[in-house]
Amino acid sequence: MNEPAARDGAYAALEALFAKRHHLGEALGVLGWDRQVMMPDGASSARAETMAALTGFSHELLTAPETADLLAAAEDDASLGEDPALEPWRRANLREMRRAHAHASAVPRDLVTALSIAEAEAEMAWRAARAADDFLALLPSLTKVLELTQEAAAAKSAAFGLAPYDALLDQYEPGARAESIDALFAALSDFLPAFTETALARQAARPAPPAPAGPFPVATQKALAETLMRAIGFDAKRGRLDVSLHPFCGGADDDVRITTRYDEDDFASALMGVLHETGHALYEQGLPDDWRRSQPVGSSRGMALHESQSLFIEMQVCRSAAFLSFAAPQFRDAFGAEAGDPAWSAEAFTARAQRVERGFIRVDADEVTYPAHVILRYRLERAMIGGALSLEDLPGAWSDGMRAALGVTPPNDRLGCLQDIHWPSGAFGYFPTYTLGAMAAAQLAEAARAATPDWDERLAAGDFSALLSWLRTHVHSRASLLDSEAILTEATGAPLQAAPFLRHLEARYGEAA
Amino acid sequence: MNEPAARDGAYAALEALFAKRHHLGEALGVLGWDRQVMMPDGASSARAETMAALTGFSHELLTAPETADLLAAAEDDASLGEDPALEPWRRANLREMRRAHAHASAVPRDLVTALSIAEAEAEMAWRAARAADDFLALLPSLTKVLELTQEAAAAKSAAFGLAPYDALLDQYEPGARAESIDALFAALSDFLPAFTETALARQAARPAPPAPAGPFPVATQKALAETLMRAIGFDAKRGRLDVSLHPFCGGADDDVRITTRYDEDDFASALMGVLHETGHALYEQGLPDDWRRSQPVGSSRGMALHESQSLFIEMQVCRSAAFLSFAAPQFRDAFGAEAGDPAWSAEAFTARAQRVERGFIRVDADEVTYPAHVILRYRLERAMIGGALSLEDLPGAWSDGMRAALGVTPPNDRLGCLQDIHWPSGAFGYFPTYTLGAMAAAQLAEAARAATPDWDERLAAGDFSALLSWLRTHVHSRASLLDSEAILTEATGAPLQAAPFLRHLEARYGEAA
């Protein structure tokens, strides 16, 4: 009689321990939001110390010897609790606990600390180097980050039996492997160059719509953004909208906070940014109540699935002609424009929201050219991690890659390999998730549309209940019960594929569009 | 050779441990600020869990068996480090560590938890009871809080060899004892009733100044408040000004955040509130850099000394005729008033800032009548803790006390014993610090003026450098190196007395004023 009780006790003890870690994570979520939205400049070093201390507590809880013992004991048990209906959730929760433990234990503590210091230094150097367009100024600290990341990847590779780059990918999107990504990205690389030409030619053949005349007061933009967020399903009692230099979605339990940056000359870009982050926020707000406030299984799945939710709302919904036919009159009313003004027609907003342009900057890219930016970074970071590309050669490889993929050559490194913070901050293996997310969004949207025959009519009427309900059922409520591939397969009938994304691009930007 | 190293190691280990606690406290400071200023309603229960978890971590660190061992080892040591110049700070730091440990260890964990739950319930009940003017609705939960507070006071009394009420006082103002407070408050009670009559008669004999006509836009009020805060010495790179329902000063290291509540019909009350909180903030910003960011000795001394800093700035400085002769033109310019408008003259602002009125509400009281509110609460809470006053009799005792002290009878409990959150939230022993602070402010100001012959000329010219420098030297930089009595004695030549406060009242409100 004793042994099952002891085993049940192990799982219960793990739930208590991971609840503590969760609360530390919640505190870090608010502190991180505050740092970007509220904190005065003079507090940055004190805040860094505070956040490092909380991160340290969380790491100590996870890597304590007792935790390993509890995991082993719970994994040995045939049942993790009294209610068999909860068994799959508990089992998945235990799997997520093991996953967190494996990632935290694989890398020696000294290396974690060294990497964190090197990343902080490289981020500082990057800010100055980008402003001064001086890649050489970043080189020493970026070299340090790369070397330590290679060490960490090697350690995780040995611990997990994965290739080093796969071990890095797995940090951001559990289960993602370069082999599958290669195949998916190859489908895009085969299709996109010629398709981009087609889309640009089609666009050039049509008159560009006039732009609405500003200025657009920030208070009006914010009120409009909040109205649309709420219309789509954002629960304003459990979240906020604020301003930060780099828009993001963060916060804590029942407190999902998104940010944007307003431009008085162009309200549409901030608004689309808000709607993108609203997609992230809906995911967080839709996680299952029984688990999200304390356990790993209640968390959102990896970054690719998270990005699929923001791109579902932004690209699949809010940049569509149907949605913009609902939104355009609201835009006009908010800013007091004339109903007959051609710059304010739904068609004009749609043309601008679907504009394709070959540019240098990833975050400004449209959905047709965006994958080229990501695939270049994916190729380069694999080569860097594998040792085939030395950092000295990065600027040249970047320029060559941009020319080959998009036919444009960045005039300097600021518009080239210095544009993103990811590598200085050690986030090798993150970039692919953006385009995996775009593909997943298209695949989910195709399935959701198939289940909702009057999809466009609903969008045009501002009725988002069916799409939100579909996402709640098929994605949000699943949390981390399954891996992303299984969630996608159950939701759409197939694992992640490129075809739905390509069909979406054809329908929106192709010759027949 | 080994033993001193081991002892030195004990102190060093304690510094590391208390730095961790400090960082948890910093996180709680930001989370607490956020809860009152930013947090959406729906997050209140999740936030309570997060903050309880962090408080729990801090408590565990403090009460771990190793901590007691380290304290004993360090206290045995003849020297706490290599630099003898730092020895007094280290010794005081160790004393503060012991103090924190003693308070945390004296009360059993179960009682701490029970009290914290009872307080949360009573605070909720208080909000409803105050709104409904229904003391009986608060009675059951307040009874629970009182009983558990009596238990905690008894436990601390036994552990410290102090009277139970003194053990409670000591939580808020280290070293404060009822015996000294009795003597100080007796001096006030002897003086104030007749003096209040005098002040009111003097006031009645002069024409009341006309009030400036609003509305006063919030953005203008905020800009004006920030200008004056900075002029007095608030470092805006290490702090913020925001809005909350109940004004306070909180935040974290290098990040001191004060709040206010604006009224479009009356800018002076919000502004004086900001200047009051600025006094608290200057104290926090002036703590010694070498200690404030990690160690207990680097913290502000008790609540009485903290209140002395806010009242020094508000009452001694900003409600003076000299300061208002500097500020009045700024008020006029900010709101675009005519220079000749009598409502906007320095004399009119001074008359309004120094208005005396017998009222029901403590937080609205002027400095002449405020002590009566505090002394009543002090008398009642001692009787409650001692068992001489049962809670059923509190409303009657309150009304009798107000009639005796101020000659006014509250028409209901909302304007009587339901007005403050302190008792429902378990803060028995806190009230006296307000009036101890007012007396300390007057005593410090007398000494600072004596050291600064051109005090009024400087205030009238908007030059606050001398007063800030005096406070930095004599109060802020001392942090918790000494106790409050010693800080006051070194700064003013005497321990806390009532006389300087009474002289201040005579000078400002007396017959000869």
Side-chain angles (χ1 to χ4, degrees):
Chain A
M1 291 294 287
N2 237 353
E3 216 189 357
R7 282 172 181 167
D8 193 278
Y11 176 75
L14 284 167
E15 279 205 350
L17 188 148
F18 277 83
K20 285 190 181 183
R21 290 196 76 224
H22 182 85
H23 293 313
L24 287 166
E26 293 297 291
L28 284 164
V30 176
L31 292 169
W33 172 88
D34 184 273
R35 181 168 58 176
Q36 294 197 58
V37 179
M38 289 289 151
M39 190 187 78
D41 288 349
S44 59
S45 106
R47 180 63 57 87
E49 282 179 27
T50 301
M51 294 181 71
L54 265 56
T55 306
F57 280 118
S58 185
H59 188 85
E60 280 171 29
L61 284 172
L62 189 54
T63 56
E66 310 85 81
T67 308
D69 296 344
L70 290 169
L71 284 168
E75 284 165 350
D76 266 357
D77 194 13
S79 152
L80 298 178
E82 301 203 345
D83 183 351
L86 292 179
E87 187 70 16
W89 282 93
R90 291 189 168 134
R91 195 59 65 184
N93 198 29
L94 184 56
R95 181 199 68 215
E96 292 306 307
M97 292 170 174
R98 170 60 78 186
R99 194 181 120 67
H101 184 264
H103 270 285
S105 322
V107 183
R109 184 69 191 262
D110 288 353
L111 178 50
V112 172
T113 308
L115 195 47
S116 146
I117 293 166
E119 286 162 3
E121 281 169 9
E123 282 182 29
M124 296 260 293
W126 170 76
R127 281 174 221 285
R130 185 170 76 153
D133 184 30
D134 182 1
F135 179 76
L136 289 179
L138 174 63
L139 191 55
S141 56
L142 184 56
T143 301
K144 186 88 189 153
V145 169
L146 176 59
E147 287 170 359
L148 293 169
T149 303
Q150 287 169 326
E151 267 189 66
K156 291 193 174 186
S157 167
F160 306 160
L162 289 176
Y165 184 76
D166 282 350
L168 296 177
L169 277 175
D170 194 78
Q171 299 170 343
Y172 304 108
E173 177 58 31
R177 302 292 175 257
E179 189 181 355
S180 327
I181 295 175
D182 282 342
L184 292 163
F185 283 5
L188 303 186
S189 295
D190 288 349
F191 175 87
L192 286 174
F195 181 74
T196 306
E197 294 287 348
T198 305
L200 286 169
R202 168 182 164 277
Q203 183 171 278
R206 302 175 183 198
F216 308 103
V218 166
T220 311
Q221 291 192 51
K222 180 165 198 252
L224 177 63
E226 287 180 326
T227 300
L228 289 173
M229 284 165 68
R230 280 196 300 268
I232 293 173
F234 182 85
D235 179 355
K237 288 210 168 148
R238 299 196 294 134
R240 296 181 49 93
L241 170 64
D242 295 281
V243 170
S244 71
L245 189 57
H246 301 287
F248 68 99
C249 173
D253 286 334
D254 292 328
D255 194 359
V256 179
R257 302 186 178 187
I258 71 186
T259 68
T260 189
R261 187 173 40 174
Y262 298 104
D263 177 350
E264 292 220 320
D265 296 325
D266 171 18
F267 74 88
S269 66
L271 186 65
M272 281 298 160
V274 168
L275 296 170
H276 177 97
E277 301 302 335
T278 297
H280 286 303
L282 292 175
Y283 189 5
E284 293 293 325
Q285 291 190 331
L287 293 167
D289 286 342
D290 290 346
W291 296 97
R292 68 185 167 78
R293 270 178 53 179
S294 68
Q295 297 302 312
V297 75
S299 296
S300 56
R301 196 62 284 193
M303 297 315 302
L305 207 59
H306 228 306
E307 192 69 10
S308 83
Q309 296 308 289
S310 55
L311 292 174
F312 190 109
I313 297 299
E314 181 193 349
M315 296 296 178
Q316 301 294 323
V317 174
C318 295
R319 288 186 189 263
S320 73
F323 175 84
L324 289 164
S325 74
F326 155 71
Q330 303 210 24
F331 298 165
R332 281 199 304 268
D333 289 351
F335 296 107
E338 296 295 324
D341 186 333
W344 291 81
S345 71
E347 294 68 29
F349 279 107
T350 305
R352 287 188 300 266
Q354 298 182 354
R355 181 164 177 81
V356 178
E357 195 166 6
R358 289 183 171 120
F360 302 121
I361 300 293
R362 176 184 60 83
V363 297
D364 295 338
D366 57 86
E367 60 181 332
V368 176
T369 57
Y370 201 107
H373 293 270
V374 167
I375 293 170
L376 170 63
R377 286 158 178 76
Y378 169 68
R379 202 161 52 68
L380 295 176
E381 71 180 10
R382 280 182 78 186
M384 287 187 272
I385 291 294
L389 173 64
S390 88
L391 282 177
E392 285 81 2
D393 299 330
L394 176 61
W398 185 286
S399 286
D400 293 348
M402 284 298 285
R403 204 160 32 243
L406 281 174
V408 297
T409 308
N412 55 46
D413 292 334
R414 204 156 57 80
L415 295 171
C417 67
L418 283 174
Q419 68 184 269
D420 289 317
I421 198 175
H422 298 58
W423 292 333
S425 71
F428 292 85
Y430 190 104
F431 280 122
T433 66
Y434 293 117
T435 291
L436 296 175
M439 289 189 283
Q443 188 166 332
L444 290 165
E446 212 170 61
R449 291 178 77 114
T452 318
D454 52 350
W455 182 268
D456 282 343
E457 291 73 11
R458 282 170 177 264
L459 293 192
D463 172 4
F464 308 102
S465 57
L467 81 86
L468 183 60
S469 160
W470 194 91
L471 289 174
R472 289 268 185 263
T473 303
H474 294 281
V475 180
H476 305 173
S477 65
R478 315 310 297 272
S480 290
L481 178 64
L482 309 171
D483 66 20
S484 295
E485 279 295 62
I487 290 171
L488 264 183
T489 303
E490 292 202 358
T492 71
L496 185 60
Q497 298 179 305
F501 179 61
L502 302 183
R503 283 194 288 270
H504 161 71
L505 295 184
E506 283 278 12
R508 182 172 286 176
Y509 306 93
E511 272 170 344
Chain B
M1 290 296 287
N2 238 353
E3 216 188 359
R7 283 172 182 168
D8 193 277
Y11 177 75
L14 286 167
E15 279 205 350
L17 186 148
F18 277 84
K20 285 189 181 184
R21 290 196 76 224
H22 182 86
H23 294 312
L24 287 166
E26 294 297 292
L28 284 163
V30 176
L31 292 168
W33 173 87
D34 184 274
R35 181 168 58 174
Q36 294 198 58
V37 180
M38 290 289 151
M39 189 187 78
D41 287 349
S44 59
S45 107
R47 179 63 57 86
E49 283 180 27
T50 300
M51 294 181 71
L54 265 57
T55 305
F57 279 118
S58 184
H59 189 83
E60 280 171 29
L61 284 172
L62 188 54
T63 56
E66 309 85 82
T67 307
D69 297 343
L70 289 169
L71 284 168
E75 283 165 350
D76 267 356
D77 195 12
S79 152
L80 298 177
E82 300 203 346
D83 183 350
L86 292 180
E87 187 70 15
W89 282 94
R90 291 188 169 136
R91 194 60 64 184
N93 197 31
L94 184 56
R95 182 198 67 216
E96 292 304 307
M97 292 169 174
R98 169 61 76 184
R99 193 181 120 68
H101 184 263
H103 270 284
S105 321
V107 183
R109 185 69 191 263
D110 287 354
L111 178 50
V112 172
T113 307
L115 195 47
S116 142
I117 293 166
E119 286 161 3
E121 281 170 10
E123 282 182 29
M124 295 261 293
W126 169 76
R127 282 174 220 286
R130 185 171 77 152
D133 183 30
D134 182 358
F135 179 75
L136 289 180
L138 174 64
L139 192 55
S141 56
L142 184 57
T143 302
K144 187 88 190 154
V145 169
L146 176 59
E147 287 171 359
L148 293 169
T149 303
Q150 287 169 326
E151 268 190 64
K156 291 194 174 183
S157 167
F160 307 161
L162 289 175
Y165 184 74
D166 282 349
L168 297 176
L169 277 176
D170 194 77
Q171 299 170 339
Y172 305 108
E173 177 57 31
R177 302 291 175 259
E179 190 183 354
S180 328
I181 295 175
D182 282 342
L184 292 162
F185 283 7
L188 302 186
S189 295
D190 288 348
F191 176 86
L192 286 174
F195 182 75
T196 305
E197 293 288 347
T198 304
L200 286 169
R202 169 183 164 274
Q203 183 171 277
R206 304 177 182 195
F216 308 103
V218 166
T220 311
Q221 290 193 51
K222 182 167 197 249
L224 177 62
E226 287 180 326
T227 300
L228 289 172
M229 284 165 67
R230 279 196 300 267
I232 293 174
F234 182 85
D235 179 355
K237 287 210 168 148
R238 299 194 295 133
R240 298 181 48 92
L241 170 65
D242 295 280
V243 170
S244 71
L245 189 57
H246 301 287
F248 68 99
C249 173
D253 286 333
D254 292 328
D255 194 357
V256 180
R257 302 184 178 187
I258 70 185
T259 68
T260 190
R261 187 173 39 172
Y262 297 104
D263 176 351
E264 292 220 320
D265 296 324
D266 170 18
F267 73 88
S269 65
L271 186 65
M272 282 298 161
V274 168
L275 296 170
H276 178 96
E277 302 303 335
T278 297
H280 286 303
L282 292 174
Y283 189 7
E284 293 292 324
Q285 291 191 331
L287 294 167
D289 286 341
D290 291 346
W291 296 98
R292 67 185 167 79
R293 270 177 54 178
S294 68
Q295 297 302 311
V297 75
S299 295
S300 56
R301 196 61 286 192
M303 296 316 301
L305 206 59
H306 227 307
E307 192 69 10
S308 82
Q309 296 307 290
S310 55
L311 292 175
F312 189 110
I313 297 299
E314 181 193 349
M315 294 297 178
Q316 301 294 324
V317 174
C318 296
R319 288 185 189 263
S320 72
F323 175 84
L324 289 164
S325 73
F326 155 71
Q330 303 210 23
F331 298 165
R332 281 199 303 267
D333 290 351
F335 295 106
E338 296 295 325
D341 186 334
W344 291 81
S345 71
E347 294 68 29
F349 279 108
T350 305
R352 288 188 300 266
Q354 299 181 355
R355 185 167 174 76
V356 178
E357 196 166 7
R358 289 183 171 120
F360 303 120
I361 299 294
R362 176 184 59 84
V363 296
D364 294 338
D366 57 86
E367 60 182 331
V368 175
T369 58
Y370 201 108
H373 293 271
V374 167
I375 293 170
L376 171 63
R377 287 158 177 76
Y378 168 68
R379 203 160 51 71
L380 296 176
E381 72 181 10
R382 280 181 79 187
M384 287 188 273
I385 292 294
L389 173 65
S390 89
L391 282 177
E392 286 80 2
D393 300 329
L394 176 61
W398 185 286
S399 286
D400 294 348
M402 284 298 284
R403 202 160 34 243
L406 281 173
V408 296
T409 307
N412 56 47
D413 291 334
R414 205 156 56 78
L415 295 171
C417 67
L418 283 175
Q419 69 184 270
D420 290 316
I421 198 174
H422 298 58
W423 293 332
S425 71
F428 291 86
Y430 189 104
F431 280 122
T433 66
Y434 293 117
T435 290
L436 296 175
M439 289 188 283
Q443 188 167 332
L444 290 165
E446 214 171 60
R449 290 177 77 113
T452 318
D454 53 348
W455 181 268
D456 281 344
E457 291 74 14
R458 283 170 177 264
L459 293 193
D463 172 5
F464 308 102
S465 57
L467 81 86
L468 183 61
S469 159
W470 194 90
L471 290 174
R472 289 267 186 265
T473 303
H474 294 281
V475 181
H476 306 173
S477 64
R478 316 309 298 272
S480 291
L481 178 64
L482 309 172
D483 66 20
S484 295
E485 279 294 62
I487 290 172
L488 264 183
T489 304
E490 292 202 358
T492 70
L496 185 60
Q497 298 179 305
F501 179 61
L502 301 185
R503 282 194 289 269
H504 161 71
L505 296 184
E506 282 279 12
R508 183 172 286 175
Y509 305 93
E511 272 172 345

